[in-house]
Amino acid sequence: MSKNITEYALSMLRSLPRVSLSNIRDNPRAYRPTKRGRGQHGGDKHGAGNKGSGQRQNYMRLGYETGNNPFYLRFPLEPYYKGQHLRREYPPITLHQLQKLIDTNRLDTSEPIDLTAICNSGLFTILPERRQYGFQLKDEGADIFKAKVNIEVQWASEPAIAAIERNGGVITVAYYDIHSLFAAVNPIKFFRKGEPIPRRMIPYTDELAAYYSDPANRGYLADPEKVSWERFVLSQKYGYVLPCLENDPDYEMLIQRKDPRQIFQGLEPGWIINLKDKKILKPKSKELNEFYSS
Amino acid sequence: MASILKTSASRLLLYPRFLQLSSSQALLKLHTLDSYIIPPSLRNPSPIPKSPVEEPPREPIEYEVSQSPEEWKYVERLIPPVEVPEPIKKDWYPSGWKPPATVNQPYFIRRTKNHMLNALNEDLLSYLEKKHQKSIVSHVNEVTCCIWLKGDYVRDVEEWMLSKGF
C-alpha cells in the first residue's frame, strides 16, 4: 500500500487537467493592485496636475512634437532588406578545400562528385531553408589543384573551370530547385518520408536559365558540342594543353551526366526507395510514367 | 477557511464528478489523491461532437517492386559514411596536408600545453620573430591552456606545427 512518492506524483500528472488560465494564479504578493491616493499627499489632484491635457487625460500621440515634423516622420524608408527573402546564396567551396577532401579520402574521385557527395562528407552543408541554392566553386588553390574529377556544382568561376579541365576533369554547373535541394542535401532523410523522388525543376528566372544554358559556364542545359568548343577556347586562354577525354581510362565515369530532371544519379523521378527492405517501388501507370519522364 | 471554500466552489465547476457531493465532502475529496484521478472520457470535454473525417476516394496506384542490385548500388552511394574515412598513405599531398607524424602526438601536445606552455610559447615566438623581423606580442593563459598571438600568424603557426610533426 505504501506507494513511492514518484509514482504518486506521476499518477497525479497523468490525471490532472491541462494547465490553463482557469487553474493558475500568481504567487502571493506578486501583484499588488494600485489604490487611488487619499489624504494630504495622495489626494486632491491625484498626481494629474492642474487643467491641461494632463489632468483631462487627453494626451498627445507618442512621437508628436507639438506640430513640427516629428523625428519618426523626417526620414523616408530605406529598403535595406527588400527582397532579402528572395535572394539566392551559393556557399563557397574552394579548390584547395576540394583538394584536401580528396587527399584525406573524404571524397571518392572514382565516382562523379555532386552536391550530395559533398554534403555526405560531413564537412560542408547546404541549408535550403535559408535560400542556399548549392555550392559555388572558387578558384583559390587553382595552382595546387591536381585531381581528375567529374564534378557538378551550382556556380563556378572561370579559373576554377580551367583548373579542373586542365587536370583532365569535367565540370558541370546545374540548377536544383528548393524542393529537389531538400532531397539532394539529405537523401536518407528524404527517402524516409516515403515520398516519390521529385522531378528537378528548370531555372525559374530568365537570368538563371541563360546562365545554365551558356556553354562558357559549362551549364547543364547547354549544347555539348558548344561545351567542348568552349573547353578548347579556355585552354587557349589559360595556356594549357587540353587533355583528350576519349583516351582516358576513366572516360566512362567522366562522361556520366545527370538528366536535367534527375536529382540522384541512377535513380529516376517517381521512384520510392524503401531503405529498410532494400526495395525500389516504381509506378506502373502510363500517365505517371509520362509525367515523371517529361 | 472562507477563501478555501471560495476556491473550492469554483473548482467544483471544473470537475463534474463533484457536482453530486456536498461542499464539505467535496473539500475533503479535493485534498486527496483520488480527487485528481479523472476518467479519460471526462477530461477536457469539448462541446463540439467529433464527426468522422471523409477522404476523397482514391484509385489504388499500381507499382512494381524492384530489388535489382545495380539500382540499389546507386542508393548505397547516397548513404553517408558512418565513420570518418582513413586517409590513404602517400608521400605527398597536393593540398599540402600532412598526416600526424607520430602516434604519441596527442599526448605530446597535451604535455606541452599543461607543463611546458611557456616553453612552447618561447619556441613559437622565436620562429615567428625570425620570420617577420619584428617583436610579436603574445599572451599565455595557463588556466585554459591557450596562447594568444597579436597579429595575423595563422599560416605561419600552422607551418611550424606541421614541421614539428603535429
Side-chain angles (χ1 to χ4, degrees), chain A residues 43-257:
Chain A
D44 196 353
K45 316 267 185 310
H46 299 281
N50 253 325
K51 300 198 215 175
S53 61
Q55 193 173 36
R56 294 172 183 150
Q57 317 288 307
N58 180 25
Y59 301 107
M60 289 177 249
R61 67 168 187 274
L62 193 66
Y64 184 65
E65 288 176 23
T66 62
N68 60 309
N69 199 16
F71 178 80
Y72 76 96
L73 286 179
R74 273 173 192 265
F75 312 103
L77 174 74
E78 188 56 58
Y80 295 111
Y81 297 106
K82 189 172 183 182
Q84 178 80 353
H85 65 294
L86 299 170
R87 280 185 215 150
R88 297 185 305 269
E89 240 184 44
Y90 293 94
I93 178 166
T94 59
L95 283 168
H96 187 98
Q97 285 172 331
L98 202 63
Q99 184 65 60
K100 240 192 190 164
L101 283 178
I102 294 164
D103 288 343
T104 49
N105 198 20
R106 294 190 85 138
L107 270 183
D108 192 7
T109 44
S110 63
E111 302 286 348
I113 296 171
D114 65 343
L115 179 68
T116 318
I118 302 174
C119 291
N120 279 349
S121 76
L123 295 170
F124 299 97
T125 44
I126 290 288
L127 301 164
E129 60 264 19
R130 294 214 195 150
R131 277 94 51 209
Q132 291 180 356
Y133 275 71
F135 289 113
Q136 59 164 314
L137 199 57
K138 301 228 92 161
D139 52 345
E140 189 185 328
D143 310 323
I144 50 136
F145 192 75
K146 269 204 178 43
K148 186 170 67 175
V149 284
N150 177 356
I151 190 159
E152 190 200 61
V153 282
Q154 281 65 52
W155 206 272
S157 60
E158 204 185 54
I161 299 173
I164 301 230
E165 289 179 347
R166 182 191 5 232
N167 290 300
V170 170
I171 176 162
T172 323
V173 133
Y175 172 78
Y176 286 74
D177 60 291
I178 292 284
H179 188 51
S180 314
L181 267 178
F182 276 109
V185 163
N186 198 342
I188 303 305
K189 188 174 174 183
F190 176 77
F191 292 150
R192 286 200 179 128
K193 282 189 196 173
E195 281 174 20
I197 297 174
R199 289 184 309 172
R200 217 197 320 165
M201 292 293 147
I202 53 170
Y204 67 99
T205 59
D206 291 331
E207 248 179 36
L208 269 179
Y211 179 81
Y212 288 107
S213 314
D214 195 357
N217 303 322
R218 310 292 183 273
Y220 74 125
L221 297 171
D223 191 0
E225 279 178 24
K226 290 188 181 156
V227 168
S228 53
W229 169 249
E230 289 292 336
R231 277 168 60 91
F232 174 67
V233 166
L234 203 68
S235 72
Q236 295 288 295
K237 179 174 176 180
Y238 281 81
Y240 58 86
V241 176
L242 186 66
C244 192
L245 282 182
E246 281 86 18
N247 304 339
D248 204 305
D250 292 325
Y251 174 68
E252 272 175 37
M253 184 279 287
L254 290 172
I255 219 70
Q256 263 182 46
R257 257 165 151 234

